[in-house]
Amino acid sequence: MGRKAAAEIRVTPSWCKRCGICIAFCPGRVLEAGPGGLPRAANLDACTMCLLCELRCPDFAVEVVEKEVTADHARAASHAG
């Protein structure tokens, strides 16, 4: 069974000032502005875990967390959509 790294992007709403820097710096266009301008992951499959969103956030509101999923789980998820 193969393993693939996957990302989870967490945003702390009380720290985020909705400046959009994390959205602008994301090379994979993973993030988008959600309700009220709060960044949210719209395309996690495109995340390369470059951490630019986390590193550029002036308020430390963005956290990228690596989580491991099995290739079987990833394959099942891609067929479910």
Side-chain angles (χ1 to χ4, degrees):
M1 227 182 271
R3 301 231 179 245
K4 176 187 174 193
E8 178 182 347
I9 300 174
R10 300 176 186 159
V11 178
T12 305
S14 60
W15 294 0
C16 179
K17 63 182 169 195
R18 292 139 178 90
C19 66
I21 291 173
C22 58
I23 296 169
F25 274 93
C26 180
R29 300 192 185 273
V30 174
L31 298 171
E32 70 179 13
L38 189 68
R40 67 174 177 197
N43 186 17
L44 268 178
D45 290 338
C47 183
T48 62
M49 296 197 60
C50 68
L51 302 179
L52 285 175
C53 58
E54 184 176 315
L55 295 169
R56 296 293 182 178
C57 178
D59 299 308
F60 307 102
V62 180
E63 179 183 18
V64 179
V65 180
E66 182 178 354
K67 54 184 196 173
E68 201 172 89
V69 292
T70 65
D72 291 339
H73 182 260
R75 194 171 21 257
S78 69
H79 287 39

